[in-house]
Amino acid sequence: MRRHFFAPLALAALLGACAPSTSADDAVPQGTGYDFLVLALTWSPSYCEIEGKDANRQQCGQGRDLGFVVHGLWPQFEKGWPEFCNGNGPNRVPNELVRDYLDIMPSAGLMGHQWRKHGSCTGLDQSDYFKLVRAARKRVAIPDDFAALADDITIAPSKLEAAFMAANPGMKADGVAISCSGRHLSEVRICMNDDLEFRSCKQVDARDCRLKSATMPAPG
């Protein structure tokens, strides 16, 4: 059964909601060579449905009923962004590091690709890059009202954006963008400073989904 929602709902990550800020004991690694960061949170059921049989089985296999997962943490310039830099460390992410982050990034292949394409451009080594990824994820609260999706929903992207802003004081309307792929709502992209405070980012906001409504498949 497909339900249609026109009021701000909230989608809780089946991975668990995270605290809205890092604790005083958390040391946030400081990167170099970029102006700000974008935390990309993928709605995993959309990815799995879009990719179909080509989807990563670690992420989309039977029993992997995931909600929002970390796609990546991307260094950005005020105009444009760096990619595939000469980073600190090997291209491959070692298994022991992969195991430490599978709770927020659902596959070794995803971690490896994100390190090579984006992490290598932060000036950090692999260990500190993924520490920064976790710290950024902890900074964002998934709106509680969107919990335990039992059915597919259709929602205005602007409503999901508003729910994220309500759940995260200080998040700016021009500092968060909803991404769509075809008819699917696929990602939430959130801009942050080095200290992981929310900030504006007009070039990211300009790529906001323009659909009046988009589909979010239920997990499972």
Short mmCIF file of all heavy atoms in Angstrom, two decimals, residues 62-115:
data_model
loop_
_atom_site.label_atom_id
_atom_site.label_comp_id
_atom_site.label_asym_id
_atom_site.label_seq_id
_atom_site.Cartn_x
_atom_site.Cartn_y
_atom_site.Cartn_z
N GLN A 62 19.52 -9.37 1.47
CA GLN A 62 18.39 -9.75 2.30
C GLN A 62 18.69 -9.45 3.77
O GLN A 62 19.77 -9.76 4.27
CB GLN A 62 18.07 -11.24 2.13
CG GLN A 62 16.80 -11.69 2.83
CD GLN A 62 16.45 -13.12 2.50
OE1 GLN A 62 17.19 -13.81 1.81
NE2 GLN A 62 15.30 -13.57 3.00
N GLY A 63 17.75 -8.84 4.44
CA GLY A 63 17.92 -8.51 5.84
C GLY A 63 18.60 -7.18 6.10
O GLY A 63 18.69 -6.74 7.25
N ARG A 64 19.07 -6.51 5.04
CA ARG A 64 19.73 -5.22 5.21
C ARG A 64 18.70 -4.11 5.05
O ARG A 64 18.66 -3.40 4.05
CB ARG A 64 20.86 -5.07 4.19
CG ARG A 64 21.98 -6.06 4.36
CD ARG A 64 22.80 -5.75 5.60
NE ARG A 64 23.70 -4.63 5.35
CZ ARG A 64 24.33 -3.97 6.33
NH1 ARG A 64 24.12 -4.27 7.58
NH2 ARG A 64 25.15 -2.97 6.02
N ASP A 65 17.86 -3.97 6.04
CA ASP A 65 16.75 -3.02 5.99
C ASP A 65 17.21 -1.66 6.52
O ASP A 65 16.82 -1.23 7.61
CB ASP A 65 15.56 -3.55 6.79
CG ASP A 65 15.05 -4.88 6.25
OD1 ASP A 65 15.34 -5.19 5.08
OD2 ASP A 65 14.38 -5.60 7.02
N LEU A 66 18.03 -0.98 5.75
CA LEU A 66 18.66 0.26 6.19
C LEU A 66 17.83 1.48 5.79
O LEU A 66 17.11 1.45 4.80
CB LEU A 66 20.06 0.38 5.58
CG LEU A 66 21.02 -0.78 5.88
CD1 LEU A 66 22.34 -0.57 5.17
CD2 LEU A 66 21.21 -0.95 7.38
N GLY A 67 17.97 2.55 6.55
CA GLY A 67 17.34 3.83 6.23
C GLY A 67 18.38 4.78 5.66
O GLY A 67 18.96 4.54 4.61
N PHE A 68 18.65 5.88 6.39
CA PHE A 68 19.69 6.80 5.95
C PHE A 68 21.06 6.24 6.29
O PHE A 68 21.31 5.81 7.43
CB PHE A 68 19.53 8.17 6.62
CG PHE A 68 18.52 9.05 5.95
CD1 PHE A 68 17.32 9.36 6.57
CD2 PHE A 68 18.76 9.57 4.68
CE1 PHE A 68 16.38 10.18 5.96
CE2 PHE A 68 17.83 10.38 4.05
CZ PHE A 68 16.64 10.69 4.70
N VAL A 69 21.96 6.24 5.33
CA VAL A 69 23.34 5.83 5.53
C VAL A 69 24.25 6.93 4.99
O VAL A 69 23.83 7.75 4.16
CB VAL A 69 23.65 4.49 4.82
CG1 VAL A 69 22.79 3.37 5.38
CG2 VAL A 69 23.46 4.60 3.31
N VAL A 70 25.49 6.94 5.43
CA VAL A 70 26.44 7.92 4.93
C VAL A 70 26.91 7.50 3.54
O VAL A 70 27.44 6.40 3.36
CB VAL A 70 27.65 8.06 5.86
CG1 VAL A 70 28.70 8.98 5.24
CG2 VAL A 70 27.22 8.60 7.22
N HIS A 71 26.67 8.35 2.57
CA HIS A 71 27.25 8.17 1.24
C HIS A 71 28.69 8.62 1.25
O HIS A 71 29.58 7.92 0.79
CB HIS A 71 26.43 8.95 0.21
CG HIS A 71 26.96 8.85 -1.18
ND1 HIS A 71 26.33 9.45 -2.26
CD2 HIS A 71 28.06 8.24 -1.71
CE1 HIS A 71 27.02 9.21 -3.36
NE2 HIS A 71 28.07 8.49 -3.06
N GLY A 72 28.93 9.83 1.80
CA GLY A 72 30.30 10.30 1.87
C GLY A 72 30.39 11.65 2.55
O GLY A 72 29.37 12.27 2.88
N LEU A 73 31.61 12.08 2.78
CA LEU A 73 31.91 13.41 3.29
C LEU A 73 32.84 14.06 2.28
O LEU A 73 33.97 13.60 2.09
CB LEU A 73 32.56 13.34 4.67
CG LEU A 73 32.80 14.67 5.37
CD1 LEU A 73 31.47 15.34 5.74
CD2 LEU A 73 33.66 14.49 6.62
N TRP A 74 32.35 15.12 1.63
CA TRP A 74 33.01 15.64 0.44
C TRP A 74 33.61 17.02 0.68
O TRP A 74 32.88 17.97 1.01
CB TRP A 74 32.00 15.74 -0.70
CG TRP A 74 31.26 14.47 -1.00
CD1 TRP A 74 31.65 13.19 -0.72
CD2 TRP A 74 29.98 14.34 -1.62
NE1 TRP A 74 30.72 12.28 -1.14
CE2 TRP A 74 29.67 12.97 -1.70
CE3 TRP A 74 29.07 15.26 -2.13
CZ2 TRP A 74 28.49 12.50 -2.26
CZ3 TRP A 74 27.89 14.80 -2.69
CH2 TRP A 74 27.61 13.43 -2.77
N PRO A 75 34.91 17.18 0.49
CA PRO A 75 35.50 18.52 0.55
C PRO A 75 35.06 19.35 -0.66
O PRO A 75 34.95 18.83 -1.77
CB PRO A 75 37.01 18.25 0.53
CG PRO A 75 37.15 16.92 -0.15
CD PRO A 75 35.91 16.14 0.22
N GLN A 76 34.80 20.63 -0.42
CA GLN A 76 34.29 21.51 -1.46
C GLN A 76 35.05 22.83 -1.47
O GLN A 76 35.53 23.30 -0.43
CB GLN A 76 32.81 21.84 -1.19
CG GLN A 76 31.91 20.64 -1.06
CD GLN A 76 31.48 20.06 -2.38
OE1 GLN A 76 30.81 20.73 -3.17
NE2 GLN A 76 31.84 18.83 -2.62
N PHE A 77 35.14 23.43 -2.64
CA PHE A 77 35.55 24.83 -2.76
C PHE A 77 34.28 25.68 -2.84
O PHE A 77 33.19 25.16 -3.08
CB PHE A 77 36.40 25.05 -4.01
CG PHE A 77 37.67 24.23 -4.04
CD1 PHE A 77 38.02 23.50 -5.17
CD2 PHE A 77 38.51 24.18 -2.93
CE1 PHE A 77 39.18 22.75 -5.20
CE2 PHE A 77 39.68 23.43 -2.96
CZ PHE A 77 40.01 22.71 -4.09
N GLU A 78 34.41 26.98 -2.66
CA GLU A 78 33.24 27.84 -2.83
C GLU A 78 32.68 27.71 -4.24
O GLU A 78 31.47 27.82 -4.44
CB GLU A 78 33.60 29.30 -2.53
CG GLU A 78 34.04 29.56 -1.09
CD GLU A 78 32.97 29.24 -0.06
OE1 GLU A 78 31.79 29.13 -0.42
OE2 GLU A 78 33.33 29.10 1.13
N LYS A 79 33.53 27.44 -5.20
CA LYS A 79 33.10 27.10 -6.56
C LYS A 79 33.86 25.85 -6.99
O LYS A 79 35.08 25.88 -7.13
CB LYS A 79 33.36 28.26 -7.52
CG LYS A 79 32.51 29.48 -7.26
CD LYS A 79 32.72 30.55 -8.33
CE LYS A 79 31.81 31.75 -8.08
NZ LYS A 79 32.00 32.81 -9.12
N GLY A 80 33.13 24.77 -7.17
CA GLY A 80 33.76 23.52 -7.58
C GLY A 80 34.23 22.69 -6.40
O GLY A 80 33.98 23.02 -5.24
N TRP A 81 34.93 21.60 -6.70
CA TRP A 81 35.39 20.68 -5.65
C TRP A 81 36.55 19.85 -6.18
O TRP A 81 36.68 19.61 -7.38
CB TRP A 81 34.25 19.75 -5.22
CG TRP A 81 33.60 19.03 -6.36
CD1 TRP A 81 33.98 17.86 -6.93
CD2 TRP A 81 32.43 19.47 -7.08
NE1 TRP A 81 33.14 17.51 -7.96
CE2 TRP A 81 32.19 18.49 -8.07
CE3 TRP A 81 31.60 20.58 -6.97
CZ2 TRP A 81 31.12 18.61 -8.96
CZ3 TRP A 81 30.53 20.68 -7.86
CH2 TRP A 81 30.30 19.70 -8.83
N PRO A 82 37.43 19.41 -5.26
CA PRO A 82 38.54 18.55 -5.67
C PRO A 82 38.11 17.08 -5.71
O PRO A 82 37.17 16.68 -5.02
CB PRO A 82 39.56 18.78 -4.55
CG PRO A 82 38.71 19.04 -3.34
CD PRO A 82 37.48 19.77 -3.84
N GLU A 83 38.79 16.29 -6.52
CA GLU A 83 38.53 14.86 -6.61
C GLU A 83 39.82 14.11 -6.87
O GLU A 83 40.74 14.63 -7.51
CB GLU A 83 37.55 14.54 -7.75
CG GLU A 83 36.14 15.01 -7.55
CD GLU A 83 35.23 14.60 -8.70
OE1 GLU A 83 35.74 14.07 -9.71
OE2 GLU A 83 34.01 14.81 -8.60
N PHE A 84 39.89 12.87 -6.37
CA PHE A 84 40.98 11.94 -6.66
C PHE A 84 42.35 12.61 -6.51
O PHE A 84 43.13 12.69 -7.46
CB PHE A 84 40.82 11.36 -8.07
CG PHE A 84 39.56 10.54 -8.23
CD1 PHE A 84 38.49 11.03 -8.98
CD2 PHE A 84 39.43 9.30 -7.64
CE1 PHE A 84 37.32 10.28 -9.13
CE2 PHE A 84 38.27 8.55 -7.79
CZ PHE A 84 37.22 9.04 -8.54
N CYS A 85 42.63 13.06 -5.30
CA CYS A 85 43.90 13.73 -5.01
C CYS A 85 44.97 12.71 -4.62
O CYS A 85 44.68 11.53 -4.42
CB CYS A 85 43.70 14.74 -3.89
SG CYS A 85 42.42 15.98 -4.24
N ASN A 86 46.19 13.18 -4.49
CA ASN A 86 47.28 12.35 -3.97
C ASN A 86 47.21 12.39 -2.45
O ASN A 86 47.78 13.27 -1.81
CB ASN A 86 48.63 12.87 -4.47
CG ASN A 86 48.80 12.71 -5.96
OD1 ASN A 86 48.38 11.70 -6.53
ND2 ASN A 86 49.38 13.70 -6.61
N GLY A 87 46.48 11.45 -1.88
CA GLY A 87 46.20 11.48 -0.46
C GLY A 87 47.24 10.80 0.38
O GLY A 87 48.22 10.22 -0.11
N ASN A 88 47.02 10.87 1.72
CA ASN A 88 47.90 10.23 2.68
C ASN A 88 47.42 8.80 2.94
O ASN A 88 46.52 8.58 3.72
CB ASN A 88 47.91 11.00 4.00
CG ASN A 88 48.48 12.39 3.86
OD1 ASN A 88 49.43 12.58 3.11
ND2 ASN A 88 47.91 13.35 4.57
N GLY A 89 48.03 7.85 2.27
CA GLY A 89 47.66 6.46 2.50
C GLY A 89 47.38 5.72 1.23
O GLY A 89 47.29 6.31 0.14
N PRO A 90 47.23 4.40 1.32
CA PRO A 90 46.96 3.57 0.15
C PRO A 90 45.55 3.80 -0.38
O PRO A 90 44.70 4.39 0.29
CB PRO A 90 47.13 2.15 0.68
CG PRO A 90 46.78 2.26 2.14
CD PRO A 90 47.27 3.61 2.57
N ASN A 91 45.31 3.32 -1.59
CA ASN A 91 43.97 3.43 -2.17
C ASN A 91 42.98 2.53 -1.45
O ASN A 91 41.80 2.88 -1.31
CB ASN A 91 44.01 3.09 -3.65
CG ASN A 91 44.59 4.19 -4.50
OD1 ASN A 91 44.50 5.37 -4.13
ND2 ASN A 91 45.19 3.84 -5.62
N ARG A 92 43.43 1.38 -1.01
CA ARG A 92 42.54 0.41 -0.37
C ARG A 92 42.37 0.74 1.11
O ARG A 92 43.34 1.07 1.80
CB ARG A 92 43.11 -1.00 -0.53
CG ARG A 92 42.24 -2.11 0.06
CD ARG A 92 42.88 -3.47 -0.10
NE ARG A 92 42.09 -4.50 0.56
CZ ARG A 92 42.18 -4.79 1.85
NH1 ARG A 92 43.03 -4.12 2.62
NH2 ARG A 92 41.44 -5.74 2.38
N VAL A 93 41.14 0.65 1.58
CA VAL A 93 40.86 0.83 3.00
C VAL A 93 40.99 -0.54 3.67
O VAL A 93 40.31 -1.49 3.28
CB VAL A 93 39.46 1.41 3.23
CG1 VAL A 93 39.16 1.55 4.72
CG2 VAL A 93 39.32 2.76 2.53
N PRO A 94 41.86 -0.69 4.66
CA PRO A 94 42.07 -2.01 5.27
C PRO A 94 40.83 -2.53 5.97
O PRO A 94 39.99 -1.76 6.44
CB PRO A 94 43.22 -1.76 6.26
CG PRO A 94 43.21 -0.29 6.52
CD PRO A 94 42.71 0.35 5.26
N ASN A 95 40.75 -3.86 6.05
CA ASN A 95 39.55 -4.50 6.59
C ASN A 95 39.23 -4.05 8.01
O ASN A 95 38.06 -3.89 8.36
CB ASN A 95 39.70 -6.02 6.55
CG ASN A 95 39.70 -6.57 5.14
OD1 ASN A 95 39.19 -5.93 4.22
ND2 ASN A 95 40.28 -7.75 4.95
N GLU A 96 40.27 -3.87 8.84
CA GLU A 96 40.00 -3.50 10.23
C GLU A 96 39.37 -2.10 10.32
O GLU A 96 38.53 -1.85 11.20
CB GLU A 96 41.28 -3.56 11.06
CG GLU A 96 42.44 -2.71 10.58
CD GLU A 96 43.37 -3.45 9.61
OE1 GLU A 96 42.90 -4.43 8.98
OE2 GLU A 96 44.53 -3.05 9.53
N LEU A 97 39.73 -1.21 9.41
CA LEU A 97 39.11 0.11 9.39
C LEU A 97 37.69 0.04 8.84
O LEU A 97 36.78 0.70 9.34
CB LEU A 97 39.97 1.07 8.56
CG LEU A 97 39.70 2.57 8.73
CD1 LEU A 97 39.83 2.99 10.19
CD2 LEU A 97 40.66 3.38 7.87
N VAL A 98 37.50 -0.78 7.82
CA VAL A 98 36.16 -1.00 7.28
C VAL A 98 35.21 -1.46 8.37
O VAL A 98 34.09 -0.94 8.51
CB VAL A 98 36.20 -2.02 6.13
CG1 VAL A 98 34.78 -2.49 5.77
CG2 VAL A 98 36.87 -1.43 4.89
N ARG A 99 35.64 -2.43 9.17
CA ARG A 99 34.77 -2.98 10.22
C ARG A 99 34.35 -1.90 11.22
O ARG A 99 33.24 -1.94 11.75
CB ARG A 99 35.48 -4.13 10.95
CG ARG A 99 35.55 -5.42 10.14
CD ARG A 99 35.96 -6.58 11.01
NE ARG A 99 37.32 -6.44 11.52
CZ ARG A 99 38.41 -6.90 10.90
NH1 ARG A 99 38.30 -7.55 9.76
NH2 ARG A 99 39.61 -6.75 11.44
N ASP A 100 35.22 -0.93 11.46
CA ASP A 100 34.91 0.11 12.44
C ASP A 100 33.81 1.06 11.98
O ASP A 100 33.23 1.77 12.81
CB ASP A 100 36.17 0.93 12.73
CG ASP A 100 37.19 0.18 13.57
OD1 ASP A 100 36.82 -0.83 14.19
OD2 ASP A 100 38.37 0.61 13.59
N TYR A 101 33.52 1.08 10.67
CA TYR A 101 32.59 2.09 10.14
C TYR A 101 31.41 1.50 9.38
O TYR A 101 30.61 2.25 8.82
CB TYR A 101 33.35 3.09 9.27
CG TYR A 101 34.30 3.94 10.10
CD1 TYR A 101 35.62 3.55 10.28
CD2 TYR A 101 33.83 5.07 10.76
CE1 TYR A 101 36.48 4.29 11.09
CE2 TYR A 101 34.69 5.81 11.56
CZ TYR A 101 36.00 5.42 11.72
OH TYR A 101 36.85 6.15 12.53
N LEU A 102 31.27 0.18 9.41
CA LEU A 102 30.14 -0.44 8.71
C LEU A 102 28.79 -0.04 9.30
O LEU A 102 27.77 -0.18 8.63
CB LEU A 102 30.29 -1.97 8.72
CG LEU A 102 31.23 -2.57 7.67
CD1 LEU A 102 31.38 -4.06 7.92
CD2 LEU A 102 30.72 -2.30 6.25
N ASP A 103 28.78 0.45 10.52
CA ASP A 103 27.51 0.85 11.13
C ASP A 103 26.96 2.12 10.50
O ASP A 103 25.75 2.38 10.57
CB ASP A 103 27.66 1.03 12.64
CG ASP A 103 28.69 2.08 13.01
OD1 ASP A 103 29.76 2.12 12.38
OD2 ASP A 103 28.42 2.87 13.95
N ILE A 104 27.83 2.94 9.87
CA ILE A 104 27.32 4.17 9.24
C ILE A 104 27.51 4.18 7.72
O ILE A 104 26.78 4.87 7.02
CB ILE A 104 27.98 5.42 9.85
CG1 ILE A 104 29.51 5.40 9.70
CG2 ILE A 104 27.55 5.59 11.31
CD1 ILE A 104 30.17 6.71 10.10
N MET A 105 28.50 3.43 7.22
CA MET A 105 28.72 3.30 5.77
C MET A 105 28.63 1.81 5.45
O MET A 105 29.47 1.03 5.92
CB MET A 105 30.08 3.87 5.37
CG MET A 105 30.22 5.35 5.64
SD MET A 105 31.80 6.05 5.05
CE MET A 105 31.45 6.21 3.28
N PRO A 106 27.66 1.38 4.66
CA PRO A 106 27.27 -0.03 4.65
C PRO A 106 28.08 -0.98 3.80
O PRO A 106 27.73 -2.16 3.72
CB PRO A 106 25.83 0.03 4.14
CG PRO A 106 25.80 1.23 3.26
CD PRO A 106 26.71 2.22 3.90
N SER A 107 29.17 -0.54 3.16
CA SER A 107 29.94 -1.51 2.37
C SER A 107 31.39 -1.08 2.23
O SER A 107 31.71 0.12 2.23
CB SER A 107 29.33 -1.69 0.97
OG SER A 107 29.66 -0.60 0.11
N ALA A 108 32.26 -2.07 2.12
CA ALA A 108 33.69 -1.81 1.92
C ALA A 108 33.92 -1.09 0.60
O ALA A 108 34.78 -0.20 0.51
CB ALA A 108 34.46 -3.13 1.95
N GLY A 109 33.16 -1.45 -0.42
CA GLY A 109 33.32 -0.81 -1.72
C GLY A 109 33.01 0.68 -1.66
O GLY A 109 33.70 1.50 -2.26
N LEU A 110 31.95 1.04 -0.93
CA LEU A 110 31.59 2.44 -0.77
C LEU A 110 32.69 3.19 -0.04
O LEU A 110 33.09 4.29 -0.47
CB LEU A 110 30.28 2.55 0.00
CG LEU A 110 29.81 3.97 0.37
CD1 LEU A 110 29.58 4.81 -0.88
CD2 LEU A 110 28.57 3.92 1.24
N MET A 111 33.20 2.62 1.03
CA MET A 111 34.26 3.29 1.78
C MET A 111 35.50 3.51 0.93
O MET A 111 36.10 4.59 0.95
CB MET A 111 34.62 2.47 3.03
CG MET A 111 33.61 2.55 4.12
SD MET A 111 34.19 1.68 5.60
CE MET A 111 32.69 0.84 6.06
N GLY A 112 35.89 2.47 0.18
CA GLY A 112 37.07 2.61 -0.66
C GLY A 112 36.91 3.70 -1.71
O GLY A 112 37.82 4.51 -1.94
N HIS A 113 35.74 3.73 -2.34
CA HIS A 113 35.51 4.74 -3.38
C HIS A 113 35.49 6.14 -2.78
O HIS A 113 36.06 7.08 -3.35
CB HIS A 113 34.19 4.47 -4.09
CG HIS A 113 33.86 5.47 -5.14
ND1 HIS A 113 34.54 5.56 -6.34
CD2 HIS A 113 32.92 6.47 -5.17
CE1 HIS A 113 34.04 6.55 -7.06
NE2 HIS A 113 33.06 7.12 -6.38
N GLN A 114 34.85 6.30 -1.63
CA GLN A 114 34.78 7.62 -1.01
C GLN A 114 36.15 8.10 -0.56
O GLN A 114 36.46 9.29 -0.66
CB GLN A 114 33.79 7.60 0.17
CG GLN A 114 32.34 7.42 -0.25
CD GLN A 114 31.87 8.51 -1.20
OE1 GLN A 114 31.97 9.69 -0.90
NE2 GLN A 114 31.34 8.11 -2.36
N TRP A 115 36.98 7.18 -0.07
CA TRP A 115 38.34 7.58 0.30
C TRP A 115 39.12 8.05 -0.92
O TRP A 115 39.75 9.11 -0.90
CB TRP A 115 39.08 6.43 0.98
CG TRP A 115 40.57 6.67 0.98
CD1 TRP A 115 41.50 6.02 0.23
CD2 TRP A 115 41.27 7.67 1.73
NE1 TRP A 115 42.75 6.56 0.46
CE2 TRP A 115 42.64 7.57 1.38
CE3 TRP A 115 40.89 8.64 2.65
CZ2 TRP A 115 43.62 8.40 1.92
CZ3 TRP A 115 41.86 9.48 3.19
CH2 TRP A 115 43.20 9.35 2.83
#
